[in-house]
Amino acid sequence: MAHPSLPGHVGFIPDGNRRWAITHGLSKEAGYAHGIAPGLMLYEQCKKYAIPEVSIYCFTQDNTRRPSIQKRAFTNAAVNFAFEVARRGAALLVVGDETSAQFPPELKAFRQRQGNGMKVNLLINYGWEWDLAGLKNGHLRSEAVSRLDLIVRWGGGRRLSGFLPVQSVYADFYVRDEYWPDFDPQHFEQALAWFKTQDQTLGG
């Protein structure tokens, strides 16, 4: 159980990989691999706080329209991260359109949650329209993902960018201007401190 003043489910939007790469004199696609180690650091931080569930935006259906070299880079980063958190004991669920050629075939087994640790939901080849289209059959395609309490975004963007729109309805939104590869554990510490000051009445 999470502490009452901590969020039960946190979403992460790790943005700014390409901009980080450019500022470091690298090609845009080189930034994605530099996002893996920060992600693992954040995963361990969430485990330390006993956060029950986290969701991470890896890549969207819109992202797959980027140049093929970038697409390969962010797909490889997502796959490597997925297998590493699974190895570290996460209860891993991958949410995204597995019928598409853009979905990494090696992750199809994770379209059903695997493992018994902290719940980790990775949005891979995810699209909000794809998700909501499941309602035609009576349920969201992300129905196994619970309501979000807090969303933390890096890279300075002040928008959801299609991130789990139904689960996000009452989430508090915390933004960092730093690019994702420059993640520091204090970013999440500060997000949690900020969250404790928010009015969480859910409209009541």
Side-chain angles (χ1 to χ4, degrees):
M1 282 291 288
H3 188 277
S5 62
L6 292 174
H9 182 190
V10 185
F12 299 109
I13 303 178
D15 198 18
N17 297 279
R18 293 184 299 173
R19 286 172 287 163
W20 180 90
I22 291 169
T23 63
H24 286 76
L26 303 171
S27 60
K28 286 182 179 180
E29 65 274 6
Y32 298 113
H34 288 274
I36 298 173
L40 296 172
M41 196 185 312
L42 179 58
Y43 166 75
E44 294 296 339
Q45 194 176 10
C46 289
K47 275 175 54 176
K48 181 185 80 171
Y49 278 106
I51 303 291
E53 185 173 2
V54 301
S55 292
I56 303 170
Y57 224 176
C58 291
F59 70 87
T60 71
Q61 291 177 322
D62 290 334
N63 295 154
T64 62
R65 296 198 291 266
R66 292 177 182 173
S68 59
I69 191 169
Q70 292 182 29
K71 189 165 61 176
R72 283 194 300 272
F74 64 60
T75 300
N76 289 340
V79 169
N80 290 338
F81 181 78
F83 279 113
E84 181 58 23
V85 293
R87 189 188 70 80
R88 295 185 185 204
L92 180 61
L93 174 69
V94 173
V95 183
D97 183 4
E98 77 279 9
T99 68
S100 162
Q102 311 294 343
F103 188 92
E106 56 267 57
L107 296 182
K108 285 189 177 181
F110 294 105
R111 285 293 287 115
Q112 302 294 320
R113 192 178 302 280
Q114 308 285 331
N116 298 302
M118 180 178 73
K119 288 183 178 180
V120 175
N121 311 309
L122 300 184
L123 275 60
I124 292 178
N125 198 43
Y126 174 86
W128 66 270
E129 291 170 302
W130 166 85
D131 193 354
L132 296 179
L135 293 172
K136 297 173 185 175
N137 298 317
H139 57 84
L140 289 171
R141 286 173 165 152
S142 63
E143 65 174 344
V145 178
S146 70
R147 184 180 59 77
L148 284 149
D149 300 305
L150 170 66
I151 297 170
V152 185
R153 178 169 184 150
W154 282 263
R158 265 72 176 168
R159 58 185 177 276
L160 278 176
S161 298
F163 181 76
L164 294 169
V166 174
Q167 290 89 344
S168 298
V169 288
Y170 272 114
D172 289 303
F173 200 98
Y174 182 84
V175 177
R176 301 292 310 196
D177 289 328
E178 297 90 349
Y179 300 143
W180 169 245
D182 286 329
F183 167 78
D184 185 288
Q186 287 191 355
H187 298 170
F188 189 45
E189 301 278 354
Q190 291 165 9
L192 292 177
W194 174 85
F195 178 78
K196 291 177 183 178
T197 69
Q198 302 309 298
D199 177 11
Q200 293 144 25
T201 61
L202 305 184

